[in-house]
Amino acid sequence: MLGEQTTANNVWDSKTQTFHGGQEHRFINNFVEDFSVTTNYLGTPPQALAAAKQAMGEIHHYPAANQEPAKTHLAEFLWGKDYAEQHGRLLMGNGASELIDLVVRKALLAAAERGQTQPTWKGSPWNVQYREYQRSAETNGFKILEPSNPERADMVCIVNPCNPTGDYFSVEPLKEWIKNNVKSGGSVIVDESMQPWHSAEFRKDSLISEHAYARDMWTEEQVSVHVMHSWTKIWSCTGLRIGSVICPTTAHCEALRKIQVPWSVNGPALAFVEAVVNEKDYLNETWENTTRLRAHLIDQLSSLEQSKEWVYHGKKFLSWVWLDMKSEAMAERAIDLARAAGVPVRSGKPGYKCNSFIRVAVRKEAEVAVLIQAWKSL
Ligand SMILES: Cc1ncc(COP(=O)(O)O)c(C=O)c1O
């Protein structure tokens, strides 16, 4: 980028990378709040942040090769007292992004072993979803099927709840969709990064608790179901990079570890996980307030004179609103106005090609007021 000024638009190399939100704060002098990412409105949990800072004093040592004791703490967070039985199925990574690519690469190897020369890949039934799954499938040579294509695929990846559309399958419809869309012997990723916002009972409506299902899919259909989590959203630590994947069996987990680089989760990130699972008040506050703040955001947006045609998509518990302004020109103006007021939002255009859409994060009332003020002149 020598000689050219870096901006939020050219910070991603469009030839080699996918556009994501979360970069504009670097280029805004009057920055107030980032509405362009789906992170928790509460910001980073304070005790976990302190633990990560303290671990900076240890960075002359390598991090734990087995990701412990952080991984055991995360297993306990996911499964409670039964965690020991499932622990071997859990692998952590440098953000979910690293693990997405690992599982896709493994799925390609599995397809090759089944004699598939051009394996197929399909995303969720919703028109768009978080793009890294498709990007990884494309770069690894999968043939991409349209969401509407009824053909079963060698690999299916569904983001549930779907970022950015906010669509959501509860467990039974999700299982049904998987059954109807993956080939026998195929691979599945269900991305539940946004699912912990569901409620304090989130585990009950999640594949993380469906042990028998994962086992039976594998033993009866040879379908490997993986549950992916990015922990950088619910715990607002995108700069730290923490993800995990639950594999169908311990053997699947070992096969992934074999192609994973060593020490991919750094020391401060491991210390963060160890501490964050104990921050119960933080999650209680998240469940208590996100739905209310999301309703407040929609209420404020609806009060704008220009909003008569706008449509608000997504489940009520989610940390963002997928807003259709029904006009590409208006969406472009809204993005510029938000940026100028120091409250960047995520355009639906780059990556998703949803030109009249904007993704707006749930944030506190005071910051929402700044965005609303900016959009009064739309
Ligand atoms: C649904 C979903 N999955 C995975 C990721 C990747 O997250 P990470 O920061 O853990 O790599 C994101 C990031 O936006 C996401 O929205």
Side-chain angles (χ1 to χ4, degrees), residues 20-21 37-39 93-100 129-133 158-164 191-194 228-233 237-244 320 352 359:
H20 295 283
V37 282
T38 56
T39 48
N94 191 255
S97 303
E98 184 206 5
L99 299 168
I100 291 169
Q129 70 171 6
Y130 181 66
R131 289 281 300 180
E132 287 299 324
Y133 289 96
I158 177 167
V159 179
N160 188 51
C162 183
N163 172 18
D191 183 322
E192 293 197 354
S193 304
M194 307 301 173
M228 184 71 65
H229 286 98
S230 162
W231 297 110
T232 66
K233 309 301 182 307
C237 58
T238 45
L240 202 53
R241 320 300 306 125
I242 303 165
S244 67
W320 74 93
Y352 298 129
R359 193 185 64 198

Side-chain angles (χ1 to χ4, degrees), residues 309-371:
E309 307 284 307
W310 296 3
V311 180
Y312 311 95
H313 296 270
K315 291 285 173 195
K316 289 187 167 67
F317 62 82
L318 291 172
S319 62
W320 74 93
V321 174
W322 184 230
L323 163 61
D324 184 2
M325 290 189 164
K326 299 279 176 183
S327 153
E328 182 172 346
M330 188 186 280
E332 273 174 17
R333 279 202 308 281
I335 289 153
D336 290 344
L337 285 170
R339 187 186 302 119
V343 283
V345 290
R346 164 70 156 101
S347 164
K349 194 171 179 172
Y352 298 129
K353 299 193 182 93
C354 295
N355 298 1
S356 63
F357 282 76
I358 293 180
R359 193 185 64 198
V360 188
V362 170
R363 294 292 180 250
K364 292 184 188 135
E365 289 95 336
E367 285 81 36
V368 168
V370 179
L371 180 66

Side-chain angles (χ1 to χ4, degrees), residues 129-145:
Q129 70 171 6
Y130 181 66
R131 289 281 300 180
E132 287 299 324
Y133 289 96
Q134 183 166 335
R135 178 174 101 105
S136 184
E138 275 167 355
T139 56
N140 282 294
F142 279 87
K143 180 180 168 209
I144 309 299
L145 305 181

